[in-house]
Amino acid sequence: MVKVGVIGLQGDVSEHVDAAKKALANLGVSGEVFWLRRPEQLEGISAIIIPGGESTTISRLMLKTGLFEPVKKLGEEGLPIMGTCAGLIMLSKEVVGATPEQRFLELLDVKVNRNAYGRQVDSFEAPIKLAFSDEPFIGVFIRAPRIVELLSSRVKPIAWLGDRVVGVEQDNLIGLEFHPELTDDTRVHEYFLRKAL
């Protein structure tokens, strides 16, 4: 059985849980999707989602709960991990505009700029082109980070807003500027969860 943990310390956790459950059902796979809050819940886990929210808070709470190091190790060992918005920041190797106390998992070979699109009022929706689907995907951007540089050839673009990369894949990892969980379209979650099958 597939076990998917959504890091449930802060952010839009329940939306990701619902989207992942729908995606598993669409894939015809039985599985469990749960709020991941403690290191002992990592036992037998198949995939992890780091949701949008506030990256400083998520970083601090992952350290406080003891999730930070084991999640980093699992990512290094090849466990599928998807980070959206603040989750992308958490996965990134380099972060422009980070506060000095912030720590990142540094798994994904990208440089991102925090809050590159500005305040909440500057949030927007726009059609995204996906590498793995012909139909456009509605991307919801909320105080989104911006991918400013791909740092290695291991990183492959998988989503574009116009000609700008807004989603990447590196082996077991996916990082997205936008919030796929805030639409009824589960294609991105399905693509990610196939890594866990």
Side-chain angles (χ1 to χ4, degrees):
M1 188 174 80
V2 177
K3 287 178 65 179
V4 182
V6 182
I7 291 183
L9 303 173
Q10 194 262 344
D12 52 345
V13 182
S14 58
E15 293 88 346
H16 266 299
V17 168
D18 292 345
K21 283 179 179 173
K22 284 183 201 161
L24 286 175
N26 291 346
L27 292 169
V29 175
S30 65
E32 174 192 1
V33 185
F34 59 92
W35 289 54
L36 173 57
R37 293 186 171 117
R38 300 180 314 279
E40 53 268 29
Q41 293 175 287
L42 294 168
E43 183 69 39
I45 201 161
S46 312
I48 292 172
I49 297 172
I50 308 176
E54 214 296 300
S55 60
T56 309
T57 305
I58 294 171
S59 171
R60 182 171 49 79
L61 292 175
M62 282 183 72
L63 287 162
K64 186 177 177 183
T65 57
L67 275 172
F68 189 96
E69 292 301 337
V71 167
K72 180 176 172 71
K73 186 169 187 287
L74 286 168
E76 289 168 346
E77 291 170 352
L79 186 85
I81 302 178
M82 178 168 74
T84 64
C85 196
L88 163 64
I89 296 172
M90 286 301 302
L91 285 176
S92 297
K93 274 268 165 68
E94 295 183 26
V95 180
V96 177
T99 56
E101 73 279 4
Q102 254 188 302
R103 284 191 59 201
F104 307 102
L105 296 168
E106 298 181 25
L107 296 168
L108 188 62
D109 293 342
V110 295
K111 180 194 279 190
V112 300
N113 186 349
R114 284 179 82 229
N115 298 340
Y117 293 96
R119 302 178 312 282
Q120 199 111 15
V121 290
D122 299 323
S123 302
F124 63 95
E125 294 184 13
I128 301 292
K129 181 182 183 303
L130 298 174
F132 48 86
S133 180
D134 292 334
E135 292 296 312
F137 185 94
I138 297 302
V140 180
F141 294 79
I142 303 172
R143 294 181 62 204
R146 181 174 283 199
I147 298 167
V148 293
E149 190 179 346
L150 309 185
L151 301 174
S152 83
S153 59
R154 295 170 63 206
V155 184
K156 309 294 181 209
I158 58 166
W160 296 264
L161 174 62
D163 59 1
R164 207 174 63 66
V165 175
V166 294
V168 295
E169 177 177 25
Q170 177 185 307
D171 305 323
N172 54 308
L173 308 170
I174 289 178
L176 307 171
E177 293 182 6
F178 56 96
H179 289 263
E181 75 285 0
L182 297 182
T183 73
D184 291 328
D185 190 334
T186 60
R187 280 177 292 160
V188 171
H189 283 79
E190 288 170 35
Y191 181 77
F192 167 65
L193 290 172
R194 283 191 189 98
K195 294 179 177 293
L197 304 181

